[in-house]
Amino acid sequence: MEVYNRSMVIHGIQKLTLVDYPGHPAAILFTGDCNFRCPFCQNAPLVLSSSSEPVIAEDEIFSFLKKRKGMLEGVVVTGGEPTLQRDLIPFLGRLKTLGYLVKLDTNGYRPDVLEKAMESGYVDYVAMDIKTSLDEYPVVAGIKNLDVSRIERSVELLKTGAVDYEFRTTVVEPLHHKENFEKIGELLKGCRRYYLQSFVDSGNIIGKNCFPPSQEQLKNYLKTVSNYIESVSIRDR
């Protein structure tokens, strides 16, 4: 069941990242709640019990961002799943009024919100997680009755190139195998860029028995998807 917050709720802030917004020093804002239950999720408290997590006042967030103008160039809005926030789009607009580049991270399960965000002009870059091949999404995303047509629609929205974007997959053993990446390659064929990144156990994951793949496995998966996608690489985390 999906949860929709009545207002924008920020539970965490990382004041500087040099890797999460390609080419730009940025801050990261973490929203709570998610419509997926991926066993390898790194932010279990935000997903499973966001109501017990501290909330950062918007005034505090914007005061910080005003002071960092000139040092920071971008703001990354991530989660949890940001598209569950009712006030997401006006919040993104406030970030833009400060002159920041805005990056949105999403799992793509609310293509209607993604489309509105793209049309608003408040988003400069979108990173969409591709959990696995469509046939195995319910297992890897941890949701039994998952409507994969929503994922397909979000993929097609981004592939229009209306905003800059990337697709990415966190590779986890034993959840992924070669056939997944054959099908992912077909799904994303013609996309602008796609990244594979190895699972890292932060200690706050939702499930158990999740392990990083070997470098050899990653390279083999990379080779598989490169038959379909021109710009594909392994991203260090």
Side-chain angles (χ1 to χ4, degrees):
M1 183 172 66
E2 296 182 338
V3 177
Y4 306 102
N5 280 323
R6 294 182 178 178
S7 60
M8 196 71 184
V9 181
I10 304 297
H11 291 284
I13 181 170
Q14 182 175 326
K15 295 183 177 181
L16 176 65
T17 175
L18 299 177
V19 297
D20 286 82
Y21 198 139
H24 302 283
I28 308 177
L29 304 178
F30 296 88
T31 66
D33 299 319
C34 189
N35 39 17
F36 286 178
R37 292 294 183 269
C38 308
F40 54 92
C41 177
Q42 301 279 11
N43 294 321
L46 291 180
V47 172
L48 300 178
S49 57
S50 65
S51 61
S52 64
E53 293 294 302
V55 174
I56 304 174
E58 284 194 15
D59 288 346
E60 182 180 341
I61 292 168
F62 284 97
S63 175
F64 164 77
L65 291 174
K66 287 175 183 177
K67 292 176 182 177
R68 289 298 179 95
K69 281 295 301 295
M71 292 178 282
L72 297 175
E73 297 175 358
V75 179
V76 179
V77 181
T78 189
E81 174 51 42
T83 62
L84 293 178
Q85 302 283 326
R86 286 193 186 275
D87 286 350
L88 173 64
I89 293 174
F91 182 82
L92 299 178
R94 289 188 66 190
L95 296 176
K96 289 298 292 181
T97 61
L98 293 181
Y100 281 103
L101 295 169
V102 176
K103 174 176 176 274
L104 176 65
D105 289 351
T106 182
N107 60 26
Y109 203 60
R110 297 201 70 204
D112 54 332
V113 178
L114 175 59
E115 185 173 24
K116 289 176 183 177
M118 293 168 63
E119 292 175 345
S120 72
Y122 299 151
V123 177
D124 301 285
Y125 195 94
V126 176
M128 178 176 163
D129 291 315
I130 302 296
K131 301 300 182 180
T132 186
S133 52
L134 294 177
D135 58 319
E136 296 191 18
Y137 243 83
V139 173
V140 177
I143 302 295
K144 289 183 178 180
N145 299 314
L146 188 146
D147 180 5
V148 295
S149 70
R150 296 191 185 193
I151 304 300
E152 291 177 293
R153 185 178 166 206
S154 289
V155 167
E156 293 308 310
L157 281 170
L158 291 176
K159 285 168 70 173
T160 66
V163 300
D164 202 6
Y165 69 92
E166 68 179 54
F167 296 111
R168 60 193 185 187
T169 297
T170 299
V171 184
V172 188
E173 290 298 316
L175 296 177
H176 292 108
H177 47 82
K178 181 181 178 181
E179 289 75 14
N180 296 142
F181 294 96
E182 292 279 4
K183 294 175 182 178
I184 289 172
E186 293 173 355
L187 174 67
L188 302 184
K189 188 175 182 179
C191 75
R192 189 166 291 173
R193 61 184 70 88
Y194 174 57
Y195 295 99
L196 300 180
Q197 52 196 35
S198 178
F199 165 73
V200 176
D201 190 344
S202 67
N204 285 319
I205 66 170
I206 289 178
K208 298 179 180 179
N209 300 319
C210 294
F211 307 98
S214 68
Q215 283 299 306
E216 182 179 1
Q217 286 173 309
L218 270 181
K219 290 177 181 177
N220 286 337
Y221 297 153
L222 181 73
K223 184 177 180 180
T224 297
V225 293
S226 65
N227 292 322
Y228 303 88
I229 304 168
E230 184 174 346
S231 179
V232 57
S233 58
I234 294 172
R235 173 179 281 156
D236 294 328
R237 302 184 68 187

